Amino acid sequence: MRIGAPRELHDGEARVSMTPSSARDLQKLGHECLIEAGAGLAA
């Protein structure tokens, strides 16, 4: 399964729905993790 984490579009919102740790855990379960370019820049 592919699991994506898009960048936040709302003003003032800097969170990202996936951390490096959670992405690693999902990959260990056989999933592919995709994170949109620019996600987390404001964090």
Side-chain angles (χ1 to χ4, degrees):
M1 176 186 297
R2 290 183 180 160
I3 302 171
R7 63 183 174 87
E8 185 58 63
L9 299 177
H10 297 287
D11 291 334
E13 187 61 70
R15 294 178 291 180
V16 179
S17 60
M18 190 180 309
T19 65
S21 175
S22 64
R24 205 169 13 259
D25 291 342
L26 289 167
Q27 289 172 340
K28 287 178 184 176
L29 295 172
H31 303 293
E32 181 180 1
C33 297
L34 307 168
I35 300 174
E36 184 176 357
L41 287 178

